[in-house]
Amino acid sequence: MDPFDAGAGGLLKQPKSVWATAGASVVAFMGIGLVDPILPSIAQGLHATASQVSLLFTSYFLITAVAMLVTGFVSSRIGGKKTLLLGLAFVVVFAGLAGTSGSVGELVGFRAGWGLGNALFVSTALAVIVGAAAGGSAAAILLYESALGLGMACGPLLGALLGDASWRYPFFGTAFLMAVGFLCITVFLKEQPKPARKTSVLDPIKALGHGGLASAAVSAFFYNYTFFTVLAFTPFVLNMSPYRSGAVFFAWGVLLAVFSVIVAPRLQKRFGSLKVLGGSLVLLAADVLVLGYGSHTTAVVCTILSGAFIGVNNTVYTELALGVSDAPRPVASAGYNFVRWFAAAAAPYFAPKIEEWTDLHIPFVVAAVTALVGAGVVVVRRKALTDEAEETDPRHATEDSVTVFAN
């Protein structure tokens, strides 16, 4: 069935509950890159250094990483709808409070609370959309993928548009949009059935005892350090107005979405998952190295281009993580993300610190090295990953990609 078919079960004929959850998902994913264009403005407004402001990412993703152990525990006990609403409530409260911050310490703390809410919401949204969708999961998954890509692309754009007037406005805008999402889900989404088995907090940790899953997680850890060096540190290097920075990261997000959803599966089909991943990591390493040493125009081009490699990597890592272990997919996903999100917390802190200790180029050298280390782990552990990666059912590839990225 064509998921774009306007007939029953098609993308355009989904229940209001699906559209409400997908709309809230767009805003949730926007929150990841929202602060990118306004990082220099926040630093100026709060008289903070780059390393202090980068803690906005560190606190957000540190809490997100730890929350991976909790989200399954919560949703398996109170149900999908209540978990979504709880996550949205956290985001509304803490995003709103972030806009009132009088110091960078307050802002970092409020951003951490936001990260907890986003983890609860995003980790549950796909299952809710698929459960509420009409006509099977294909159209629902496509809708969720579109929400993911749209959110990643539009987050920096919204941050730029609102942040041009004041760095506080993007936070208030996010709180307002998520409040609308809260009302829509309250009204339109029926309660989803609870899972038959309750998830333990320790289940994701136990799943990492599998060598293949642990290998995928460790490789993704090093890759994520590179990814979030680009996302959190590059805005200071570009040193552009919120509008221009927002445009750069909007283009970056568009490439990320296109290469994740459309290009990566085609490359995998032709060359195999591990070759595609290894090649993409090496190209990403070269890209960030040129970004660090090139002219300002070159840095802009390389920042945008990195979105293509990041999109490919996100998709392939996802399939490796979920195909390599016999643990239930939500549990394997949580364990994998528990490891990799710690790098997303580390990179925004260490990149500006490394610049302070050395110079502007070295953070990108480190990021290039971590991408190569990630590729090296894939090569060394290819035996643990190859069979499972090649046997992954392509019909599940898209669903798995969204699930792991969201979690």
Side-chain angles (χ1 to χ4, degrees):
M1 182 189 75
D2 183 359
F4 288 100
D5 185 3
L11 181 64
L12 303 179
K13 287 290 184 179
Q14 293 299 323
K16 292 179 181 178
S17 58
V18 173
W19 287 109
T21 308
S25 298
V26 172
V27 183
F29 287 118
M30 285 169 63
I32 294 177
L34 179 81
V35 299
D36 257 31
I38 57 173
L39 285 175
S41 299
I42 294 173
Q44 183 178 4
L46 294 178
H47 308 290
T49 65
S51 60
Q52 288 175 321
V53 172
S54 292
L55 289 174
L56 294 175
F57 284 99
T58 297
S59 62
Y60 183 89
F61 287 113
L62 184 62
I63 295 299
T64 297
V66 176
M68 288 303 104
L69 304 180
V70 178
T71 53
F73 177 88
V74 173
S75 63
S76 65
R77 284 163 174 79
I78 68 173
K81 180 177 180 178
K82 289 186 176 68
T83 304
L84 289 180
L85 292 176
L86 181 62
L88 286 170
F90 270 103
V91 174
V92 170
V93 170
F94 284 103
L97 288 173
T100 68
S101 300
S103 68
V104 70
E106 287 183 7
L107 186 54
V108 168
F110 293 143
R111 180 76 167 165
W114 183 346
L116 174 59
N118 216 49
L120 288 168
F121 175 83
V122 172
S123 64
T124 311
L126 176 63
V128 170
I129 289 178
V130 172
S137 62
I141 292 169
L142 181 60
L143 184 62
Y144 188 87
E145 284 179 331
S146 302
L148 188 156
L150 187 62
M152 289 294 291
C154 291
L157 199 60
L158 178 67
L161 293 173
L162 297 179
D164 190 60
S166 169
W167 65 264
R168 299 180 187 274
Y169 290 171
F171 298 109
F172 293 139
T174 300
F176 173 77
L177 291 173
M178 287 305 245
V180 173
F182 184 97
L183 292 174
C184 290
I185 288 176
T186 300
V187 173
F188 296 119
L189 181 63
K190 296 179 180 178
E191 183 57 79
Q192 304 294 297
K194 297 178 184 179
R197 177 182 174 273
K198 293 181 179 180
T199 301
S200 163
V201 172
L202 294 179
D203 282 350
I205 300 295
K206 294 176 181 177
L208 288 170
H210 187 282
L213 182 61
S215 300
V218 170
S219 178
F221 173 90
F222 288 104
Y223 153 66
N224 260 33
Y225 185 94
T226 309
F227 176 180
F228 284 93
T229 296
V230 173
L231 188 62
F233 183 64
T234 302
F236 293 105
V237 176
L238 298 180
N239 194 26
M240 303 166 76
S241 69
Y243 276 127
R244 291 187 176 184
S245 183
V248 168
F249 280 95
F250 173 74
W252 169 87
V254 169
L255 276 185
L256 186 154
V258 170
F259 274 75
S260 177
V261 175
I262 298 174
V263 178
R266 296 182 181 182
L267 291 175
Q268 288 175 271
K269 186 176 181 181
R270 182 170 181 180
F271 299 107
S273 295
L274 297 187
K275 289 182 180 178
V276 169
L277 181 59
S280 182
L281 286 169
V282 171
L283 290 174
L284 178 61
D287 181 79
V288 297
L289 201 58
V290 174
L291 192 165
Y293 281 92
S295 65
H296 188 269
T297 300
T298 301
V300 169
V301 172
C302 288
T303 299
I304 295 172
L305 184 60
S306 70
F309 306 126
I310 289 169
V312 170
N313 293 338
N314 285 346
T315 294
V316 181
Y317 270 119
T318 296
E319 295 181 23
L320 289 178
L322 290 185
V324 76
S325 169
D326 56 0
R329 285 178 175 176
V331 173
S333 170
Y336 163 78
N337 282 285
F338 173 72
V339 173
R340 72 165 184 146
W341 283 126
F342 276 109
Y349 175 77
F350 283 110
K353 284 292 185 185
I354 291 171
E355 182 201 7
E356 292 174 10
W357 299 331
T358 55
D359 59 46
L360 184 66
H361 308 301
I362 302 304
F364 294 100
V365 174
V366 174
V369 170
T370 55
L372 293 176
V373 171
V377 172
V378 171
V379 172
V380 171
R381 296 290 297 167
R382 63 187 180 278
K383 233 176 181 178
L385 298 169
T386 300
D387 293 340
E388 292 85 354
E390 298 303 323
E391 290 172 4
T392 299
D393 187 342
R395 293 174 297 176
H396 296 312
T398 301
E399 180 177 356
D400 293 348
S401 300
V402 180
T403 302
V404 169
F405 186 86
N407 284 342

